Amino acid sequence: MIRVALYFILVGAIAYGVALLADRPGDVAITWQGLRIETSLMVLGAAMLAAMLVLGLIISLIRSIARSPMVLARLLRNRRGTRAYEAISRGLIAVGAGDVAAAQRFTAQVQRLAPSEPLALLLTAQAAQLAGDREGAERTFRDMAVRPDTKALGLHGLYIEARRRDDAASARAYAEEAARTAPALSWAGTAVLEARCRDGDWAGALSLLEQQRLMLDKAAYRRQRAVLLTARALALEDNDRDTAKALAIEANKLAPDLVPAAALAGRLLAEGGQWRKASRVIDAAWRTSPHPELAQAYAELRSGESARDRLKRIEAAAKRVPGHIEAALAVARAALDAQKFAKARSELAPYLDKPSRRVCLLMARLERVERNDEGRAREWTARALNAPPDPQWTADGYVSDRWLPVSPVTGRIDAFEWRLPLAGTLTAPVIEPDSPMPPLPPEQIRQTEIAPARGRSDDAPAKAEPVIPLVHAPDDPGPDAVEEAEVPAPAESGGWRKIFQ
């Protein structure tokens, strides 16, 4: 609206000036070197305006002729950039589709058109990865790492290539440099944090976690800090029990349901005579996560008390989680110690239809202690060999007798869960270029179920993806993730198979 008003004002002013000159005509005489020119004021004004227009056209023409080489060069450069952009786009699409020949062809075009562009370097590196040229990919990533605009991406590529060749020292160095260059890089911070945890540098890991506090949500930060504090407290338990107790108490405040922190804090508080506080710590964790370590810590809370007093205290704790097998096992164990055999049998009776290993071993002990029946005790011991396994600390297919702060397979923090170690977690095979995915044999699927080993379910290292994914889907944890696979239930036999059986 303002522009329209200004336009009308300008037109009105010009019309007013023209009308003013028309109403007041005058003569103009110019004498120059004996030449006399006489004309009216209106004609002189029109002549001057026409001269100015002609002069402007001449200047514009000269200017266009002078700038024509630069305009032509810019036109050719834009055309070259368009061709390079199309080649880069098609090359990245070919890389994503796994077309090695097309990716190499478009990479050659990009190298000829725009070899120093950041996306050209990325296409070159990923095409080399897709073709299996690890040295070429690493060489390109090194070129990217020395440039300010591609340094973070180059360090990420070098980190992944170092992980591929199992060079943990180089991978950690690249991750630390990336974390110093760009602290907002989550992969770099996570990699450095996991590396420090694998080395047992809990103080350094806690310091790094504090630096990343603003990049984590509050719940994740509190949980990870509690895990690291618990790990450090366990490491200091034998040498500096006071510091270990303080760390365990802080970890329990951050994550009251973290079983190792609650068990350690309760045990150290009980050693210092703080039985009430220890009981509250263990009881809070027991209500949310009944666990044998908590039951053991609860049983050893007061030294020197009688077995019957201990049984009463554990019975009171069991009432807080009614119907839970851990409560029944804790009461049965305490009843055995207190020579209350009928109580122990009544607690184990609901689980004798499909007893687990711990139930079988407790029944064997009960037969041996109560009735001195060695035959029945051996029978229950033999049943324990083939009984369903009890929950254990499991992470990424690794079964451990005790809780660990990080997974020894993937390095993830707080990866261990208390659950049944069935065939569960297996590393999914990665489809390499030009190679079909082999079927997973049944023996490998049932390997962990047959015998829960204290290690990975397979000794072969997991293959890495040939290309660094540009974008992960929201439910895709990345190339280093380990997926969990459920064990299929055996099909019921029927039809002709049933007749043959």
Side-chain angles (χ1 to χ4, degrees):
M1 189 64 184
I2 296 177
R3 292 183 179 181
V4 175
L6 292 176
Y7 173 76
F8 282 116
I9 292 173
L10 180 61
V11 171
I14 294 174
Y16 176 76
V18 172
L20 185 65
L21 291 175
D23 292 340
R24 294 173 177 82
D27 296 329
V28 178
I30 300 176
T31 303
W32 185 61
Q33 293 184 356
L35 180 64
R36 182 179 177 83
I37 301 174
E38 294 182 359
T39 183
S40 64
L41 185 60
M42 289 290 292
V43 174
L44 179 62
M48 291 179 64
L49 182 60
M52 291 175 63
L53 291 175
V54 172
L55 182 60
L57 290 175
I58 294 173
I59 293 175
S60 177
L61 180 60
I62 295 173
R63 193 175 183 182
S64 298
I65 294 174
R67 296 180 59 185
S68 58
M70 292 185 294
V71 172
L72 181 60
R74 184 168 63 248
L75 180 62
L76 294 176
R77 185 168 59 252
N78 291 340
R79 183 181 178 186
R80 189 184 186 91
T82 302
R83 292 173 57 193
Y85 173 77
E86 292 178 354
I88 290 174
S89 300
R90 294 178 180 178
L92 291 176
I93 292 173
V95 168
D99 191 345
V100 181
Q104 292 178 341
R105 183 172 68 254
F106 288 120
T107 300
Q109 293 182 15
V110 172
Q111 289 290 340
R112 187 171 61 254
L113 295 172
S116 60
E117 289 295 322
L119 286 179
L121 294 174
L122 176 61
L123 175 60
T124 303
Q126 293 206 327
Q129 287 180 319
L130 186 64
D133 184 8
R134 304 299 183 204
E135 295 181 359
E138 187 170 354
R139 185 167 55 250
T140 306
F141 283 129
R142 290 187 184 279
D143 294 339
M144 297 170 68
V146 298
R147 295 177 44 159
D149 54 345
T150 58
K151 184 173 184 179
L153 182 56
L155 291 173
H156 192 194
L158 291 173
Y159 167 78
I160 288 184
E161 291 300 325
R163 289 281 301 271
R164 292 183 195 277
R165 62 175 184 270
D166 295 330
D167 189 354
S170 298
R172 179 174 180 176
Y174 293 136
E176 289 181 347
E177 185 177 356
R180 288 193 300 269
T181 303
L185 293 176
S186 60
W187 70 266
T190 302
V192 175
L193 185 63
E194 292 176 354
R196 292 184 181 181
C197 291
R198 282 195 299 269
D199 295 341
D201 184 10
W202 307 117
L206 285 167
S207 175
L208 182 61
L209 184 64
E210 287 298 321
Q211 298 176 12
Q212 300 177 355
R213 181 173 184 174
L214 298 179
M215 295 182 290
L216 299 173
D217 60 272
K218 188 175 181 180
Y221 165 76
R222 291 173 64 89
R223 181 72 182 188
Q224 291 189 18
R225 179 169 175 80
V227 170
L228 296 179
L229 287 171
T230 305
R232 191 180 181 192
L234 290 172
L236 295 175
E237 183 180 6
D238 296 333
N239 301 324
D240 191 351
R241 301 187 77 82
D242 292 336
T243 304
K245 181 171 70 173
L247 294 173
I249 293 173
E250 182 181 356
N252 178 255
K253 290 180 180 179
L254 292 172
D257 60 337
L258 185 60
V259 171
L264 179 60
R267 186 168 64 251
L268 294 178
L269 286 170
E271 288 181 2
Q274 298 174 293
W275 296 295
R276 291 183 178 272
K277 190 173 182 180
S279 178
R280 288 196 302 268
V281 168
I282 298 173
D283 186 66
W286 174 261
R287 290 175 184 269
T288 57
S289 304
H291 193 274
E293 292 184 20
L294 296 176
Q296 183 68 19
Y298 213 99
E300 299 174 355
L301 188 60
R302 292 178 178 270
S303 59
E305 68 176 347
S306 64
R308 294 192 175 186
D309 292 338
R310 187 184 306 117
L311 174 60
K312 292 180 181 179
R313 189 157 43 81
I314 293 179
E315 284 180 335
K319 292 179 181 179
R320 299 184 181 94
V321 285
H324 201 283
I325 187 173
E326 294 297 340
L329 291 176
V331 173
R333 195 177 296 110
L336 271 171
D337 294 337
Q339 303 293 315
K340 298 289 185 178
F341 304 120
K343 179 66 176 176
R345 287 186 181 275
S346 64
E347 292 293 332
L348 296 177
Y351 306 99
L352 296 182
D353 292 338
K354 293 182 180 180
S356 64
R357 293 176 184 173
R358 285 189 295 167
V359 173
C360 292
L361 293 177
L362 275 176
M363 285 299 300
R365 180 184 170 191
L366 181 60
E367 295 291 347
R368 186 177 290 111
V369 174
E370 179 186 9
R371 301 174 178 175
N372 198 20
D373 191 343
E374 192 65 27
R376 293 285 294 174
R378 290 182 180 180
E379 179 183 349
W380 279 108
T381 304
R383 290 184 64 179
L385 297 176
N386 298 320
D390 293 283
Q392 290 179 288
W393 290 114
T394 307
D396 302 325
Y398 186 94
V399 180
S400 176
D401 290 329
R402 58 187 180 89
W403 175 83
L404 297 175
V406 296
S407 169
V409 180
T410 61
R412 290 188 299 120
I413 299 176
D414 193 27
F416 276 88
E417 299 177 357
W418 181 255
R419 60 182 179 81
L420 293 176
L422 297 179
T425 52
L426 293 175
T427 303
V430 178
I431 302 176
E432 293 287 349
D434 302 329
S435 63
M437 183 175 65
L440 196 64
E443 293 79 4
Q444 185 176 356
I445 295 178
R446 300 188 60 190
Q447 180 178 1
T448 314
E449 183 179 7
I450 294 173
R454 299 298 184 262
R456 291 190 60 181
S457 58
D458 53 339
D459 297 332
K463 296 182 180 178
E465 292 187 5
V467 178
I468 305 173
L470 298 180
V471 179
H472 292 309
D475 59 346
D476 179 13
D480 301 326
V482 180
E483 299 180 357
E484 294 189 0
E486 296 295 335
V487 181
E492 295 183 0
S493 59
W496 290 103
R497 184 177 299 176
K498 186 174 181 180
I499 295 176
F500 289 145
Q501 289 177 354

